[in-house]
């Protein structure tokens, strides 16, 4: 079978396997991207695989130079590429794009275990990148409710000099209640 026939068969298989998968993107009939991890996951990364004319007899070109991967250290990127190239050598001569994507998905945690979590924060025109520990939501500080000047004034009018509401502020007028009940009889 010629290389182009192998490529056409693999292309058809990839389209049917990844149909509707938002992580998979076909850039051209010989170039594909796959996002490993969910959107917003600080340890997610993107792999781009493109086929040379003689693929699958020769190795595909694997790249991690996408903008999506800018937060990943060069050492981690190189480590991932090295491990993917080991898989390429094992599968040389067969259709391997699906195999490489699945291998990366299965080993995502292993690949990214030494990658620090980067959180980008933006304040005004200043952008800073920092490494932070992930804090459980129970330990986050509660924000105080901000009142407008009018709301503060109304609150001050309702309360006495100690900041307490007057006695009976939420009492129900008994006579009004009795009259409203008689009305329904």
């Amino acid at each position: 079978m010629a290389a182009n026939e192998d490529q056409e068969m693999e292309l058809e298989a990839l389209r049917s396997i990844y149909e509707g998968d938002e992580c998979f993107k076909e850039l051209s009939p010989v170039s594909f991207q796959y996002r490993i991890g969910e959107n917003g996951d600080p340890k997610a990364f993107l792999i781009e695989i493109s086929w040379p004319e003689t693929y699958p007899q020769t190795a595909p070109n694997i790249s991690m130079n996408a903008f999506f991967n800018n937060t990943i250290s060069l050492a981690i990127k190189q480590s991932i590429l090295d491990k993917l190239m080991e898989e390429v050598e094992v599968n040389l001569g067969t259709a391997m794009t699906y195999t490489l994507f699945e291998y990366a998905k299965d080993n995502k945690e292993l690949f990214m275990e030494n990658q620090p979590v980067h959180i980008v924060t933006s304040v005004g025109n200043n952008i800073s990148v920092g490494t932070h520990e992930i804090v459980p939501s129970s330990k986050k500080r509660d924000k105080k409710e901000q009142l407008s000047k009018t709301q503060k004034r109304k609150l001050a009018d309702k309360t006495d000099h100690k900041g307490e509401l007057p006695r009976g502020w939420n009492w129900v007028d008994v006579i009004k209640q009795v009259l409203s009940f008689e009305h329904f009889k």
Side-chain angles (χ1 to χ4, degrees), residues 58-79:
T58 58
N61 301 319
I62 304 173
S63 171
M64 290 190 68
N65 294 332
F67 181 77
F68 189 87
N69 296 331
N70 279 353
T71 59
I72 301 173
S73 70
L74 290 175
I76 299 291
K77 285 183 192 179
Q78 191 58 50
S79 170

mmCIF file of all heavy atoms in Angstrom, residues 58-79:
data_model
loop_
_atom_site.group_PDB
_atom_site.id
_atom_site.type_symbol
_atom_site.label_atom_id
_atom_site.label_comp_id
_atom_site.label_asym_id
_atom_site.label_seq_id
_atom_site.Cartn_x
_atom_site.Cartn_y
_atom_site.Cartn_z
ATOM 1 N N THR A 58 7.932 6.997 7.718
ATOM 2 C CA THR A 58 8.830 7.882 8.465
ATOM 3 C C THR A 58 8.034 8.506 9.614
ATOM 4 O O THR A 58 6.809 8.521 9.597
ATOM 5 C CB THR A 58 9.399 9.005 7.564
ATOM 6 O OG1 THR A 58 8.310 9.749 7.024
ATOM 7 C CG2 THR A 58 10.253 8.454 6.454
ATOM 8 N N ALA A 59 8.756 9.041 10.559
ATOM 9 C CA ALA A 59 8.127 9.604 11.756
ATOM 10 C C ALA A 59 7.362 10.889 11.429
ATOM 11 O O ALA A 59 7.791 11.676 10.591
ATOM 12 C CB ALA A 59 9.192 9.898 12.801
ATOM 13 N N PRO A 60 6.230 11.113 12.105
ATOM 14 C CA PRO A 60 5.517 12.379 11.925
ATOM 15 C C PRO A 60 6.261 13.499 12.654
ATOM 16 O O PRO A 60 7.096 13.242 13.520
ATOM 17 C CB PRO A 60 4.157 12.110 12.570
ATOM 18 C CG PRO A 60 4.441 11.089 13.617
ATOM 19 C CD PRO A 60 5.540 10.230 13.052
ATOM 20 N N ASN A 61 5.956 14.725 12.290
ATOM 21 C CA ASN A 61 6.527 15.883 12.979
ATOM 22 C C ASN A 61 5.619 16.200 14.169
ATOM 23 O O ASN A 61 4.427 16.433 13.991
ATOM 24 C CB ASN A 61 6.607 17.084 12.037
ATOM 25 C CG ASN A 61 7.460 16.790 10.821
ATOM 26 O OD1 ASN A 61 8.509 16.162 10.935
ATOM 27 N ND2 ASN A 61 7.008 17.226 9.661
ATOM 28 N N ILE A 62 6.190 16.209 15.357
ATOM 29 C CA ILE A 62 5.424 16.486 16.571
ATOM 30 C C ILE A 62 5.915 17.811 17.143
ATOM 31 O O ILE A 62 7.113 18.019 17.307
ATOM 32 C CB ILE A 62 5.595 15.365 17.614
ATOM 33 C CG1 ILE A 62 5.205 14.020 17.010
ATOM 34 C CG2 ILE A 62 4.766 15.663 18.853
ATOM 35 C CD1 ILE A 62 5.505 12.831 17.901
ATOM 36 N N SER A 63 4.964 18.698 17.451
ATOM 37 C CA SER A 63 5.321 20.027 17.937
ATOM 38 C C SER A 63 4.486 20.387 19.163
ATOM 39 O O SER A 63 3.333 19.989 19.286
ATOM 40 C CB SER A 63 5.080 21.053 16.827
ATOM 41 O OG SER A 63 5.219 22.353 17.327
ATOM 42 N N MET A 64 5.098 21.151 20.043
ATOM 43 C CA MET A 64 4.385 21.719 21.188
ATOM 44 C C MET A 64 4.613 23.229 21.224
ATOM 45 O O MET A 64 4.613 23.835 22.293
ATOM 46 C CB MET A 64 4.859 21.067 22.490
ATOM 47 C CG MET A 64 4.419 19.632 22.621
ATOM 48 S SD MET A 64 4.722 18.958 24.255
ATOM 49 C CE MET A 64 3.583 19.883 25.258
ATOM 50 N N ASN A 65 4.785 23.845 20.057
ATOM 51 C CA ASN A 65 5.092 25.261 19.978
ATOM 52 C C ASN A 65 3.852 26.145 19.908
ATOM 53 O O ASN A 65 3.970 27.340 19.648
ATOM 54 C CB ASN A 65 5.992 25.545 18.767
ATOM 55 C CG ASN A 65 7.358 24.908 18.935
ATOM 56 O OD1 ASN A 65 7.834 24.722 20.045
ATOM 57 N ND2 ASN A 65 7.976 24.550 17.823
ATOM 58 N N ALA A 66 2.681 25.602 20.124
ATOM 59 C CA ALA A 66 1.452 26.390 20.073
ATOM 60 C C ALA A 66 1.431 27.394 21.224
ATOM 61 O O ALA A 66 2.004 27.164 22.285
ATOM 62 C CB ALA A 66 0.237 25.473 20.155
ATOM 63 N N PHE A 67 0.736 28.502 21.015
ATOM 64 C CA PHE A 67 0.611 29.544 22.030
ATOM 65 C C PHE A 67 -0.004 28.985 23.317
ATOM 66 O O PHE A 67 0.334 29.413 24.409
ATOM 67 C CB PHE A 67 -0.243 30.695 21.483
ATOM 68 C CG PHE A 67 -0.412 31.825 22.449
ATOM 69 C CD1 PHE A 67 0.605 32.733 22.651
ATOM 70 C CD2 PHE A 67 -1.588 31.975 23.164
ATOM 71 C CE1 PHE A 67 0.464 33.772 23.552
ATOM 72 C CE2 PHE A 67 -1.747 32.999 24.071
ATOM 73 C CZ PHE A 67 -0.717 33.908 24.272
ATOM 74 N N PHE A 68 -0.882 28.011 23.168
ATOM 75 C CA PHE A 68 -1.547 27.372 24.306
ATOM 76 C C PHE A 68 -0.530 26.823 25.309
ATOM 77 O O PHE A 68 -0.800 26.781 26.507
ATOM 78 C CB PHE A 68 -2.443 26.241 23.778
ATOM 79 C CG PHE A 68 -3.341 25.629 24.813
ATOM 80 C CD1 PHE A 68 -4.580 26.177 25.084
ATOM 81 C CD2 PHE A 68 -2.963 24.490 25.501
ATOM 82 C CE1 PHE A 68 -5.429 25.613 26.026
ATOM 83 C CE2 PHE A 68 -3.791 23.913 26.445
ATOM 84 C CZ PHE A 68 -5.027 24.482 26.711
ATOM 85 N N ASN A 69 0.653 26.428 24.838
ATOM 86 C CA ASN A 69 1.673 25.804 25.685
ATOM 87 C C ASN A 69 2.682 26.787 26.264
ATOM 88 O O ASN A 69 3.704 26.369 26.802
ATOM 89 C CB ASN A 69 2.415 24.724 24.892
ATOM 90 C CG ASN A 69 1.514 23.594 24.476
ATOM 91 O OD1 ASN A 69 0.528 23.290 25.133
ATOM 92 N ND2 ASN A 69 1.836 22.953 23.367
ATOM 93 N N ASN A 70 2.444 28.084 26.168
ATOM 94 C CA ASN A 70 3.430 29.068 26.621
ATOM 95 C C ASN A 70 3.745 28.990 28.104
ATOM 96 O O ASN A 70 4.823 29.389 28.526
ATOM 97 C CB ASN A 70 2.971 30.488 26.278
ATOM 98 C CG ASN A 70 3.276 30.842 24.843
ATOM 99 O OD1 ASN A 70 3.945 30.098 24.135
ATOM 100 N ND2 ASN A 70 2.784 31.986 24.407
ATOM 101 N N THR A 71 2.828 28.478 28.914
ATOM 102 C CA THR A 71 3.080 28.415 30.357
ATOM 103 C C THR A 71 3.858 27.174 30.771
ATOM 104 O O THR A 71 4.250 27.051 31.921
ATOM 105 C CB THR A 71 1.747 28.455 31.135
ATOM 106 O OG1 THR A 71 0.948 27.353 30.718
ATOM 107 C CG2 THR A 71 1.009 29.758 30.899
ATOM 108 N N ILE A 72 4.081 26.264 29.837
ATOM 109 C CA ILE A 72 4.796 25.023 30.150
ATOM 110 C C ILE A 72 6.292 25.253 29.980
ATOM 111 O O ILE A 72 6.733 25.839 28.990
ATOM 112 C CB ILE A 72 4.322 23.874 29.231
ATOM 113 C CG1 ILE A 72 2.823 23.651 29.414
ATOM 114 C CG2 ILE A 72 5.091 22.599 29.520
ATOM 115 C CD1 ILE A 72 2.227 22.673 28.434
ATOM 116 N N SER A 73 7.083 24.784 30.932
ATOM 117 C CA SER A 73 8.533 24.988 30.870
ATOM 118 C C SER A 73 9.123 24.193 29.699
ATOM 119 O O SER A 73 8.581 23.175 29.272
ATOM 120 C CB SER A 73 9.186 24.558 32.182
ATOM 121 O OG SER A 73 9.140 23.156 32.312
ATOM 122 N N LEU A 74 10.251 24.669 29.187
ATOM 123 C CA LEU A 74 10.905 24.008 28.062
ATOM 124 C C LEU A 74 11.336 22.589 28.413
ATOM 125 O O LEU A 74 11.273 21.691 27.575
ATOM 126 C CB LEU A 74 12.120 24.826 27.608
ATOM 127 C CG LEU A 74 11.797 26.153 26.915
ATOM 128 C CD1 LEU A 74 13.073 26.928 26.635
ATOM 129 C CD2 LEU A 74 11.041 25.897 25.632
ATOM 130 N N ALA A 75 11.762 22.374 29.645
ATOM 131 C CA ALA A 75 12.188 21.033 30.062
ATOM 132 C C ALA A 75 11.013 20.050 30.013
ATOM 133 O O ALA A 75 11.175 18.907 29.575
ATOM 134 C CB ALA A 75 12.764 21.088 31.471
ATOM 135 N N ILE A 76 9.845 20.491 30.443
ATOM 136 C CA ILE A 76 8.660 19.627 30.426
ATOM 137 C C ILE A 76 8.264 19.334 28.978
ATOM 138 O O ILE A 76 7.969 18.184 28.620
ATOM 139 C CB ILE A 76 7.484 20.278 31.187
ATOM 140 C CG1 ILE A 76 7.832 20.521 32.651
ATOM 141 C CG2 ILE A 76 6.208 19.459 31.046
ATOM 142 C CD1 ILE A 76 7.976 19.284 33.487
ATOM 143 N N LYS A 77 8.264 20.373 28.133
ATOM 144 C CA LYS A 77 7.928 20.173 26.711
ATOM 145 C C LYS A 77 8.871 19.146 26.071
ATOM 146 O O LYS A 77 8.433 18.243 25.370
ATOM 147 C CB LYS A 77 8.031 21.493 25.936
ATOM 148 C CG LYS A 77 6.913 22.454 26.169
ATOM 149 C CD LYS A 77 7.124 23.672 25.282
ATOM 150 C CE LYS A 77 6.231 24.811 25.651
ATOM 151 N NZ LYS A 77 6.455 25.990 24.812
ATOM 152 N N GLN A 78 10.165 19.297 26.336
ATOM 153 C CA GLN A 78 11.147 18.391 25.751
ATOM 154 C C GLN A 78 10.959 16.966 26.264
ATOM 155 O O GLN A 78 11.062 16.004 25.514
ATOM 156 C CB GLN A 78 12.571 18.884 26.034
ATOM 157 C CG GLN A 78 13.630 18.155 25.247
ATOM 158 C CD GLN A 78 13.421 18.254 23.741
ATOM 159 O OE1 GLN A 78 13.231 19.336 23.199
ATOM 160 N NE2 GLN A 78 13.437 17.131 23.049
ATOM 161 N N SER A 79 10.639 16.845 27.544
ATOM 162 C CA SER A 79 10.395 15.538 28.130
ATOM 163 C C SER A 79 9.190 14.860 27.462
ATOM 164 O O SER A 79 9.240 13.670 27.135
ATOM 165 C CB SER A 79 10.149 15.692 29.634
ATOM 166 O OG SER A 79 9.686 14.501 30.191
#
